[in-house]
Amino acid sequence: MIIVPVKDGENIERALKKFKRKFEKTGVVKELRSRQQFDKPSVKKRLKMERAIYVQQLRDAEE
């Protein structure tokens, strides 16, 4: 359960923003979407490898 403490006089939009941020960090929506369809293990492995290569290229470009 996600608990967002709200201070007296705090704007409700700010509290909602905190809630959404915490909810996003839990990864519930991401997992739900991934479970909607079956991906073969080989496809998962390939996508993971492509992402790792992409991230590595971004890091190399920064230096």
Side-chain angles (χ1 to χ4, degrees):
M1 176 186 263
I2 299 174
I3 298 172
V4 180
V6 180
K7 299 174 186 171
D8 287 340
E10 187 175 11
N11 195 353
I12 191 71
E13 282 83 21
R14 182 170 288 220
L16 275 172
K17 200 172 204 178
K18 284 182 186 178
F19 173 78
K20 287 179 184 179
R21 199 174 307 129
K22 279 189 174 186
F23 187 73
E24 188 67 34
K25 283 186 179 182
T26 60
V28 173
V29 176
K30 188 175 182 182
E31 184 178 341
L32 202 89
R33 287 184 181 154
S34 69
R35 287 182 182 213
Q36 284 182 345
Q37 66 181 25
F38 178 77
D39 292 329
K40 292 177 16 181
S42 60
V43 173
K44 285 183 183 180
K45 184 178 176 184
R46 187 182 74 231
L47 291 174
K48 188 175 179 181
M49 193 66 157
E50 287 174 357
R51 176 155 174 76
I53 291 169
Y54 174 74
V55 169
Q56 189 64 40
Q57 287 174 346
L58 284 178
R59 288 187 180 155
D60 289 345
E62 286 180 356
E63 295 172 358

